[in-house]
Amino acid sequence: MSDAYSVFRRHGDVIKWCTPSILPEVLALDADACEGSIVLTQSGDLLTNSGYFRTLHESAARAYGNSGHSHYCCEGTTGSNRVLFRLLRSIMKNDEEVLATRNVHQSVVENARSRRVPLRYMRTRYDSDAEIFLPPEEQDVLDGLTDKTRVVLLSTPTYEGYSCDVRSIVDKVRARNPDILVYVDEAWGAHLAFHPDLPDSGTQAGADFVVQSIHKHGGAPNPASVMHLGRRATDLYYDEFLRTIGSGVLATTYSFPLIARMDYARSILEQEGQARIDRLFEVAERLRNEVNRGNLSVLGDRSEYSRDPTKVTVDVRRSGVSGYDVQRKLMERGIAVSNWGQGSVTFLTTFQLSGDAVVPTVDALRGIVGSSFVDSSVASVQIPANLEKVVDPWNVVSTRDVHLEESAGLVLGEDIKCYPPGVFIGQVGERVSSEFVEFLQSIKGRAKVVATDKSLDSLVVADEF
Ligand SMILES: Cc1ncc(COP(=O)(O)O)c(C=O)c1O
């Protein structure tokens, strides 16, 4: 057997509270039974939604609660976002904009830029105590709408499993302007439609576009994904959507084994999703109960949002050990978590895990954090307010470096990300505010930074645009 096989095979021994969340039967599916080729035209073609693929997609739409067209994608939600931004470019007029939450995935930022789709950010909800992003509230979306808004893009549920009320946002936005399209990046929500106690999926809530990573929590392997066009988007844009898919934006040769596995996961969840997800709830509840003792606690409900109980975010701040160290030390002990930051680690209860994983996980966690309490008065990182957008990034012609102290009032020529919070806090084309400079000074040496000059002594600014 090859080296890579044996290296990856060893991952089988890890206790995985992380993606991919794969249904055991899907994991065990015989690969030979999935052989396929795009030249075997008798089964039709994924890209043109012909032959048997039409049936597959109809089943997907039914199962995921979509009254329009659903379409499998073998390139993750990253690929699905690529398709939809290409489609948006052909639908939107040049001066129209996408109003987005700031915690969008980098594939949204990247695809918007490469297709020259202007993005504007709405008010951002960030809990600086827990150091997590929260979805927008209804009013944040409504306050962000302008005459130029053509699309509202929501990234929900968040990494920690909090969701906003997409149904109500869809209704209110349409009441304000029926032409606005609502696009939900629901990468973390491929299981939502299969259990009544989970938040509504964007498909059920009537959004126009919804993208989901089926490999994250929908039961199939990497990098399974699905794009949903709601009823209205299907009526208006189905032909353009297929033209987009066929235009070379996705690989011509897609994975038959992956599509077969997505369909298998769909059929299991459609028939017995509630029971399968009930089991996830039980395991997560056990983990929550065990953790909620001593110097650790689990982030709980918030009245403004629904919460996905299959995610357990452990607040480690009172232990004095950072979430980064907890993640690394758990990994050394053969336990993987879903994501982590300075003050917390998040466990995703996957379909492969059994309840037996809880005790060794909590024992390892306690071994790492000990039992002492520390003063939690360590200042948490606040995030600066959204910067004013001056110019679209693709219109920046040249850049130069300036000392951080001299940058206020100038226009950024680089993207700046820091952990926490883990998203772009400043982007090319935005005006540097004095608050932003003060913020960068305050995090020097405290937070991890993605910037040209990681010491933050200087910034790249736009010279000409
Ligand atoms: C909100 C969101 N969108 C998109 C993606 C990209 O998903 P994929 O890995 O399926 O390409 C991620 C990945 O973490 C994500 O969190």
Side-chain angles (χ1 to χ4, degrees), residues 19 75-81 103-108 154-159 185-188 211-216 222-225 311:
T19 66
E75 296 173 44
T77 293
T78 300
S80 294
N81 282 333
N103 62 327
V104 286
H105 187 251
Q106 58 183 6
S107 60
V108 168
L154 306 169
S155 192
T156 182
T158 60
Y159 284 102
D185 182 338
E186 203 170 85
W188 290 97
V211 286
Q212 297 170 327
S213 294
I214 302 185
H215 68 92
K216 283 197 185 355
N222 295 334
S225 165
K311 287 192 160 177

Side-chain angles (χ1 to χ4, degrees), residues 68 119 121 137 184 204 227 273 344 355 380 435 439 457:
L119 276 187
Y121 295 100
E137 293 182 16
V184 186
Q204 299 162 306
M227 300 170 269
S344 65
S380 49
E435 185 213 2
F439 172 77
D457 290 335

Side-chain angles (χ1 to χ4, degrees), residues 137 162-163 300-306:
E137 293 182 16
Y162 293 100
S163 289
D301 289 334
R302 288 170 177 265
S303 55
E304 321 85 290
Y305 304 107
S306 326

